[in-house]
Amino acid sequence: MDLSASLSLRKQYAITWFWIFLVLLLGNSGGVLSDSNYLIGLGSYDITGPAADVNMMGYANMEQVTSGVHFRLRARAFIVAEPQGNRVVFVNLDACMASQLVTIKVIERLKARYGDLYTEKNVAISGIHTHAGPGGYLQYIVYIVTSLGFVRQSFDVLVDGIEKSIIQAHDNLRPGSVFVNKGELLDAGTNRSPSAYLNNPAAERSKYKYDVDTEMTLLKFVDDQWGPVGSFNWFATHGTSMSRTNSLISGDNKGAAARFMEDWFENNAVGSSSADELVDGIPRRISNIISNVRNNHHELLELAASFQSPPGRPATKILSVARRVRGVLRQAEKPIFVSAFCQSNCGDVSPNVLGAFCIDTGIPCDFNHSTCSGKNEMCYGRGPGYPDEFESTRIIGERQLRKAVDLFNKASEQLEGKVDYRHTYLDFSQLEVTLPKQGGGSETVKTCPAAMGFAFAAGTTDGPGAFDFKQGDDSGNPFWKLVRNLLKTPDKKQIDCQHPKPILLDTGEMKQPYDWAPSILPIQILRVGQLVILSVPGEFTTMAGRRLRDAVKTVLTASGEFNNNVHIVLAGLTNTYSQYVTTFEEYQVQRYEGASTLYGPHTLTAYIQEFKKLASFLVSGQPVKPGPQPPDLLDNQISLLTPVVMDSTPAGVNFGDVKSDVPQNSTFRRGEMVTVVFWSACPRNDLMTEGTYSLVEILHGKETWIPAYDDDDFCLRFKWSRPSKFSPRSLATIEWRIPESAPPGVYRIRHFGASKGLLGSVRHFTGSSSAFVVA
């Protein structure tokens, strides 16, 4: 054999062994080796709204007003496209729900940027249902009355963030594959209206082991070059681990799970990929950021003593963005890993899994009405971390994380086939519904203009209402009917249509100064291969969601194009919001969910009827009529929220100065709380989008400070306060619960903010605590 032949043979052997090595490497790394059949792209952007003075959306408690940040909120998007064909977009919001007005304006921007590539037909915008985000971004009066009307800041940051997350996903489009996996999660939700669920037919209930849906469905996105780049999953549990008295912006349990999983992936892209590697529920490790950690306590104390708190000083917003921890971790050339924990049919599902108890006696609440001695105000659900709501949030978030990690690692079923979609608008105030009659034949009924029942005002065990309302009220109260009539007296036709709901607010027929409730709603189906997403504009109860999924599955499988392995997920609170949807039988009981089913007892049947039509159009390839367009009420909005006039500090004090510092020469242990108070200004002056109000830094070497924890971390809380409601002075209290994973070292706490002058100018500032030791 000559030399050239020998070299050629060696080259072939090398290539062969290289490919064998690559196959083995990918096969053992939790990834899945396969041919890509789609273009995939993911994106994520900050949507944290005003952290001061704005009523939170969800509990309708006027006293629950934002005053700081637990952790930041994000919009996370994925796009799946056929290389030369259709594409779909799904956006998951760390927000209470989607807003019709937000959706309208996002679609307008996308059309201006991309033409007809992204429209209301193939874009779905869904909320996780956190009750700890700023309100005021919906366009109907009943949803913004507690926020004193429309809040432009809340609205703008959502529209901007959603658009930017989609732009990122679009710019990241590359060949890749999508895998699906499903599994059971038993300890993250409980039925908060079991008496209503029990009113469903026994034969139907017998088909299911539990009175909540326990299945999580997860998508794993794998880029041909970079490998796994994200995951989205759907699981039903309410975003009410944080209570109605919490005032810190938070993504609640689903937002926490998303943070945890993104950090888990960044830490485990090389090495162990098990969720069991978590440390106290916070998977990010500082050792990934810095090396050469010191352990000499005396040396650390000497270093810390040389860094006393300096005066507050002017800064730029760019500095706040530049110091973000996860900005340090990102690789500019590689897409960030995006993980979303999406909402499903959570209508009657609570994360407060220990049950509902009377806070005065400690005994379980009344089963049928969730009352204590006839009063609803004393009945509260308890989370697994009771009485610590932050701990309950962490635990329920971590339980979802662990299941998601398991499904992610084992996902092997590849999505294959068409990308498609169907969308239409329907007037739910007068939709004709065909019902089968016993003995044969059918009858036609109608849905009703929107109305809310008396039990709506009773609230739920997650957040009880006030006064003498109670769940399960099917008659109403003469006094409150008199109060109701001052606003709008429902006529006999509406009363009969909504029966047995006693009408408290006839919102669908209240039009002054503009519409109180929606009537025109979108329904939408997105398809990626054998996965089908049903986008619904409300909160379906467990059984309502099951019925809708089963009905659509019947249509899809009957077509012959799908087999029984079709995966159908229900994406709740999507594209707009119209409160709850119960079964006909649950509606009769008139618990909170039934009283909040706006369009009468046949609401679910109407959804099933219309989604079956939409599914038939999907499988036949026929177009769908767009239906009546929803109103754009942006120009009608009224805002009564007092603007920020100016900020000030005491004489001789700078913005950013420390008011209460860490003790001199102090040492803290893991698990302890470090607290620093700064002279600050109203957070509404600058939302610090993609930046941070609070920061923990660790000393590297003798003079380099490295960002370690910021507004995105579960362990760090930014609390804002003022001495009185209209005082121009304010304080920022930053609390850091030191994680078990924090390495020993010298640390300090920083605060970023922006102050407003009397003439309206905004100036950014920063302040720093003295250094301290973590041992």
Side-chain angles (χ1 to χ4, degrees):
M1 183 182 294
D2 61 25
L3 181 61
S4 61
S6 176
L7 291 173
S8 177
L9 185 60
R10 289 180 183 178
K11 183 176 181 181
Q12 291 177 16
Y13 281 150
I15 292 172
T16 300
W17 280 107
F18 170 77
W19 283 110
I20 291 173
F21 171 76
L22 186 60
V23 169
L24 290 173
L25 178 65
L26 291 175
N28 290 323
S29 65
V32 181
L33 187 66
S34 61
D35 294 328
S36 61
N37 50 346
Y38 301 122
L39 299 176
I40 61 171
L42 290 92
S44 175
Y45 204 80
D46 191 355
I47 56 169
T48 309
D53 302 326
V54 175
N55 185 246
M56 286 184 163
M57 184 64 205
Y59 288 116
N61 175 18
M62 290 195 70
E63 296 180 357
Q64 188 191 19
V65 175
T66 58
S67 62
V69 176
H70 178 206
F71 57 88
R72 285 190 164 263
L73 311 180
R74 300 196 74 79
R76 297 172 170 91
F78 75 74
I79 300 175
V80 179
E82 297 170 337
Q84 302 298 326
N86 291 333
R87 61 185 58 199
V88 294
V89 184
F90 189 91
V91 184
N92 187 65
L93 304 178
D94 286 344
C96 194
M97 67 281 290
S99 156
Q100 193 168 74
L101 186 58
V102 168
T103 301
I104 289 171
K105 296 306 177 184
V106 168
I107 296 301
E108 285 181 1
R109 289 192 182 186
L110 293 176
K111 288 181 178 178
R113 180 181 291 271
Y114 298 110
D116 290 331
L117 197 59
Y118 303 113
T119 71
E120 65 276 358
K121 296 178 182 179
N122 65 342
V123 175
I125 301 172
S126 181
I128 62 171
H129 210 39
T130 174
H131 286 40
Y137 63 91
L138 292 92
Q139 70 172 348
Y140 297 103
I141 287 179
V142 75
Y143 305 132
I144 58 175
V145 65
T146 59
S147 60
L148 302 178
F150 190 69
V151 179
R152 188 74 197 215
Q153 262 190 325
S154 295
F155 174 80
D156 284 344
V157 74
L158 277 169
V159 174
D160 292 344
I162 295 168
E163 181 192 24
K164 286 183 171 64
S165 73
I166 295 173
I167 292 171
Q168 277 187 26
H170 176 87
D171 291 344
N172 286 335
L173 277 171
R174 298 170 49 84
S177 304
V178 186
F179 298 84
V180 63
N181 200 5
K182 296 189 293 190
E184 193 171 55
L185 176 57
L186 296 177
D187 55 359
T190 187
N191 197 304
R192 70 185 187 188
S193 291
S195 60
Y197 181 88
L198 288 173
N199 208 44
N200 291 307
E204 182 180 34
R205 288 185 281 111
S206 68
K207 296 191 299 182
Y208 305 99
K209 189 175 180 180
Y210 302 102
D211 60 1
V212 295
D213 277 345
T214 59
E215 189 171 78
M216 175 184 286
T217 301
L218 177 138
L219 298 183
K220 177 178 182 177
F221 298 88
V222 181
D223 183 284
D224 278 5
Q225 177 182 354
W226 295 111
V229 289
S231 69
F232 276 58
N233 71 71
W234 289 263
F235 176 77
T237 193
H238 247 77
T240 49
S241 292
M242 301 295 289
S243 75
R244 70 194 298 271
T245 59
N246 163 66
S247 65
L248 301 184
I249 289 175
S250 172
D252 210 275
N253 57 70
K254 286 189 176 291
R259 294 294 189 286
F260 295 165
M261 188 157 184
E262 288 171 348
D263 287 341
W264 164 83
F265 183 84
E266 293 297 334
N267 287 313
N268 292 290
V270 177
S272 171
S273 58
S274 170
D276 293 331
E277 292 293 316
L278 299 181
V279 178
D280 67 354
I282 303 171
R284 191 172 59 79
R285 292 177 174 80
I286 301 303
S287 56
N288 288 0
I289 304 174
I290 68 166
S291 57
N292 303 320
V293 175
R294 292 186 181 88
N295 285 299
N296 186 313
H297 186 231
H298 180 72
E299 179 187 354
L300 294 177
L301 281 174
E302 285 187 346
L303 271 172
S306 63
F307 292 96
Q308 300 300 310
S309 60
R313 59 184 175 83
T316 64
K317 180 180 179 179
I318 295 174
L319 182 62
S320 167
V321 176
R323 302 305 287 173
R324 287 184 68 245
V325 172
R326 284 152 189 81
V328 175
L329 292 176
R330 292 179 184 176
Q331 299 178 38
E333 74 280 4
K334 181 180 179 180
I336 61 170
F337 185 84
V338 178
S339 180
F341 285 67
C342 312
Q343 195 55 271
S344 189
N345 51 318
C346 68
D348 53 0
V349 187
S350 169
N352 297 312
V353 294
L354 298 186
F357 296 86
C358 299
I359 59 175
D360 54 345
T361 64
I363 64 174
C365 306
D366 173 78
F367 181 77
N368 290 315
H369 302 289
S370 295
T371 55
C372 301
S373 301
K375 299 292 185 181
N376 70 79
E377 295 95 327
M378 307 296 284
C379 177
Y380 279 87
R382 294 180 179 176
Y386 175 82
D388 186 340
E389 63 189 304
F390 293 95
E391 183 65 4
S392 291
T393 300
R394 184 193 65 79
I395 292 171
I396 296 296
E398 185 179 317
R399 288 173 180 175
Q400 291 177 78
L401 163 70
R402 290 182 184 275
K403 175 52 62 176
V405 168
D406 181 60
L407 295 175
F408 181 85
N409 285 334
K410 297 176 181 177
S412 60
E413 181 186 342
Q414 187 171 350
L415 296 184
E416 298 176 312
K418 296 179 181 177
V419 173
D420 209 350
Y421 48 86
R422 291 295 184 274
H423 174 284
T424 191
Y425 290 108
L426 301 165
D427 186 348
F428 264 77
S429 70
Q430 51 182 356
L431 198 60
E432 289 191 349
V433 183
T434 301
L435 301 177
K437 295 176 68 173
Q438 287 187 348
S442 62
E443 63 175 328
T444 300
V445 296
K446 280 190 173 184
T447 55
C448 324
M452 293 152 65
F454 273 67
F456 158 79
T460 71
T461 56
D462 291 336
F467 305 108
D468 54 351
F469 296 99
K470 67 179 181 181
Q471 294 194 65
D473 185 354
D474 60 2
S475 58
N477 173 293
F479 171 76
W480 289 109
K481 286 182 179 178
L482 182 63
V483 173
R484 170 202 69 190
N485 293 342
L486 296 175
L487 292 172
K488 172 70 171 65
T489 304
D491 58 24
K492 185 178 184 303
K493 180 181 178 182
Q494 174 74 325
I495 291 171
D496 291 343
C497 186
Q498 292 279 353
H499 181 79
K501 178 197 292 178
I503 297 173
L504 176 64
L505 290 172
D506 191 14
T507 52
E509 299 182 315
M510 297 165 68
K511 304 293 184 181
Q512 297 299 324
Y514 50 91
D515 292 355
W516 280 58
S519 58
I520 297 172
L521 302 178
I523 63 170
Q524 180 188 51
I525 298 180
L526 304 181
R527 176 189 177 182
V528 179
Q530 64 269 34
L531 174 85
V532 172
I533 301 172
L534 309 181
S535 301
V536 297
E539 301 174 60
F540 278 56
T541 61
T542 299
M543 194 64 85
R546 288 168 174 169
R547 289 186 189 177
L548 178 60
R549 288 196 303 260
D550 288 348
V552 171
K553 184 175 182 179
T554 300
V555 174
L556 297 179
T557 54
S559 70
E561 186 175 350
F562 293 86
N563 57 34
N564 285 327
N565 197 37
V566 62
H567 304 282
I568 301 178
V569 295
L570 187 151
L573 307 115
T574 300
N575 294 329
T576 190
Y577 184 63
S578 59
Q579 291 172 258
Y580 285 75
V581 180
T582 63
T583 66
F584 178 86
E585 294 82 1
E586 291 165 351
Y587 186 90
Q588 307 306 307
V589 178
Q590 281 297 295
R591 296 239 343 163
Y592 173 84
E593 294 82 11
S596 304
T597 296
L598 295 184
Y599 308 103
H602 303 296
T603 300
L604 173 61
T605 311
Y607 272 107
I608 291 173
Q609 171 184 283
E610 298 303 318
F611 263 102
K612 287 174 71 176
K613 292 179 184 177
L614 213 59
S616 66
F617 285 123
L618 181 76
V619 295
S620 67
Q622 297 178 13
V624 180
K625 292 182 179 179
Q629 292 296 302
D632 177 344
L633 301 176
L634 181 59
D635 293 338
N636 300 78
Q637 297 302 311
I638 297 170
S639 178
L640 302 177
L641 180 65
T642 305
V644 180
V645 178
M646 65 169 294
D647 299 284
S648 69
T649 59
V653 173
N654 300 319
F655 289 106
D657 278 1
V658 174
K659 183 177 186 294
S660 177
D661 206 353
V662 293
Q664 191 173 4
N665 299 323
S666 56
T667 298
F668 294 89
R669 306 289 177 182
R670 295 170 187 84
E672 293 182 338
M673 181 81 81
V674 184
T675 303
V676 181
V677 182
F678 296 88
W679 286 102
S680 190
C682 184
R684 283 196 282 154
N685 295 326
D686 193 316
L687 303 183
M688 296 294 179
T689 302
E690 290 291 354
T692 187
Y693 291 110
S694 51
L695 182 68
V696 175
E697 295 178 322
I698 185 171
L699 186 64
H700 184 50
K702 292 189 175 181
E703 57 183 23
T704 303
W705 290 97
I706 304 295
Y709 301 92
D710 62 14
D711 278 356
D712 270 334
D713 282 288
F714 198 90
C715 61
L716 190 63
R717 302 172 194 170
F718 161 60
K719 298 181 176 180
W720 180 83
S721 63
R722 53 163 72 96
S724 60
K725 186 172 183 179
F726 297 107
S727 173
R729 296 180 183 178
S730 62
L731 298 170
T733 301
I734 297 177
E735 297 176 347
W736 180 40
R737 177 73 68 183
I738 305 173
E740 295 298 324
S741 56
V746 176
Y747 291 82
R748 69 178 182 183
I749 291 177
R750 293 184 68 182
H751 170 47
F752 297 93
S755 64
K756 188 174 184 179
L758 189 59
L759 299 179
S761 60
V762 173
R763 296 181 180 179
H764 291 81
F765 62 86
T766 185
S768 174
S769 73
S770 296
F772 55 92
V773 173
V774 171

